[in-house]
Amino acid sequence: MKHVKMMMAAIALSIAAAGPSALSAAEQQLNPKAISITLPDQFQWKRNEAAGNETAVLYGDPDKPGFYVLMFKWLPGHMSRPHWHPHDRMITVFKGTWWVGTGDKFDPDSTVPLPVGSYVTHFWQENSLGRR
């Protein structure tokens, strides 16, 4: 099995290159009603041992209707299994390599590597049972 270590999110994020002290000074000048900033060390990661990943909710609530944004970290040696979503998914690789496959069968040897900066749209489609 190919080892997987990557992070992805539903949308591309801009993370400031300035150090924490520079950002803190800038934050003090910003209107909190106009902008919300979360630094990478402030993400609240939740580990899912069964799935082999960690997730952080950046926006919204994935358990409720409406827009939401998640960040994923795959643990080494883990890959997702074939599955479906009720809506299109937009994915950006921020770190490492994301190995991607399609189809109903789990076959790590048929996956393709996507490097940092890759953007993927995973289109919704009915699964083999005709369900979303």
Side-chain angles (χ1 to χ4, degrees), residues 121-132:
T121 301
H122 184 195
F123 299 109
W124 170 87
Q125 55 187 340
E126 291 189 56
N127 66 20
S128 59
L129 301 175
R131 297 185 201 147
R132 290 185 186 207

Side-chain angles (χ1 to χ4, degrees), residues 18-130:
S21 60
L23 187 55
S24 296
E27 278 184 302
Q28 293 175 11
Q29 300 172 25
L30 301 176
N31 179 349
K33 293 180 182 179
I35 191 168
S36 170
I37 296 172
T38 305
L39 299 175
D41 65 350
Q42 296 171 326
F43 296 154
Q44 295 182 18
W45 293 100
K46 292 186 181 177
R47 184 174 282 238
N48 181 339
E49 293 290 343
N53 64 36
E54 295 180 355
T55 60
V57 177
L58 303 182
Y59 179 85
D61 184 340
D63 295 324
K64 295 181 180 176
F67 183 73
Y68 62 93
V69 177
L70 297 175
M71 180 91 76
F72 280 79
K73 283 198 269 188
W74 285 99
L75 303 175
H78 291 274
M79 301 177 97
S80 67
R81 301 302 194 254
H83 63 281
W84 294 265
H85 298 283
H87 306 286
D88 292 350
R89 296 287 196 249
M90 286 61 74
I91 303 150
T92 302
V93 179
F94 287 109
K95 182 177 179 182
T97 301
W98 183 36
W99 293 87
V100 178
T102 58
D104 293 343
K105 295 182 181 169
F106 179 66
D107 182 12
D109 292 330
S110 70
T111 60
V112 296
L114 299 179
V116 170
S118 298
Y119 176 79
V120 176
T121 301
H122 184 195
F123 299 109
W124 170 87
Q125 55 187 340
E126 291 189 56
N127 66 20
S128 59
L129 301 175

